[in-house]
């Protein structure tokens, strides 16, 4: 049986994916994959996601250089969520220039940024017109 057939894909043919820093265990981001992006991730050894907003494959770091080298790939017990243990190149996973996309914490009923911007996003990404 093909390993892809074990996955319980959504009706849209996607699976949620959590990216975790292999060395520290810190959760860096959440994204989606389809069968093609998952196959490319396994073949290339670097994370390739499916961008729902752009409706296309998204090679993580293709513009920023902040690629995610896959150390291990896990599937949960319900076969409907994947966990990528990765080495984050450049130390920045978030498009806001932070280490993690999970940088806001609920404090006294307000969402507060609790992680610093490591690099200004304007210097990371090209302007699209």
């Amino acid at each position: 049986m093909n390993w892809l057939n074990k996955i319980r894909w959504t009706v849209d043919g996607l699976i949620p994916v959590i990216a975790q820093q292999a060395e520290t265990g810190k959760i860096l981001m959440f994204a989606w994959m389809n069968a093609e992006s998952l196959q490319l991730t396994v073949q290339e050894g670097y994370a390739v996601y499916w961008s729902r907003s752009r409706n296309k494959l998204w090679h993580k770091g293709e513009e920023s250089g902040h690629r995610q080298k896959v150390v291990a790939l896990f599937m949960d017990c319900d076969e409907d969520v994947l966990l990528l243990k990765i080495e984050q190149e450049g130390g920045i996973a978030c498009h806001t220039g932070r280490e993690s996309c999970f940088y806001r914490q609920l404090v006294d009923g307000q969402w507060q940024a609790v992680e610093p911007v490591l690099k200004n996003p304007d210097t990371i990404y090209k302007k699209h017109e």
Side-chain angles (χ1 to χ4, degrees), residues 53-117:
S53 61
R54 292 176 280 183
N55 201 34
K56 68 174 196 161
L57 291 174
W58 163 35
H59 293 254
K60 177 67 175 158
E62 63 193 355
E63 190 174 334
S64 67
H66 300 142
R67 300 187 315 160
Q68 294 177 339
K69 182 176 182 8
V70 177
V71 174
L73 176 61
F74 296 87
M75 181 169 60
D76 78 323
C77 58
D78 292 326
E79 302 171 340
D80 62 359
V81 177
L82 296 179
L83 172 66
L84 289 182
K85 291 200 176 203
I86 56 104
E87 292 174 0
Q88 179 65 54
E89 294 182 359
I92 296 172
C94 185
H95 75 281
T96 65
R98 291 175 172 88
E99 177 187 19
S100 171
C101 294
F102 296 95
Y103 64 88
R104 290 178 272 212
Q105 181 178 357
L106 187 63
V107 179
D108 297 327
Q110 301 288 323
W111 291 108
Q112 295 183 11
V114 295
E115 286 193 12
V117 173

Side-chain angles (χ1 to χ4, degrees), residues 110-128:
Q110 301 288 323
W111 291 108
Q112 295 183 11
V114 295
E115 286 193 12
V117 173
L118 301 176
K119 191 169 186 181
N120 184 330
D122 292 339
T123 64
I124 298 172
Y125 302 100
K126 301 175 197 138
K127 298 284 185 201
H128 296 285

Side-chain angles (χ1 to χ4, degrees), residues 14-50:
L14 302 174
I15 189 165
V17 182
I18 299 165
Q20 179 184 44
Q21 181 65 35
E23 188 176 313
T24 65
K26 184 172 187 171
I27 302 299
L28 298 181
M29 58 176 277
F30 167 85
W32 295 91
M33 285 186 175
N34 64 9
E36 182 182 7
S37 64
L38 181 53
Q39 284 179 305
L40 286 170
T41 296
V42 170
Q43 289 169 1
E44 297 175 4
Y46 286 88
V48 179
Y49 299 107
W50 178 256

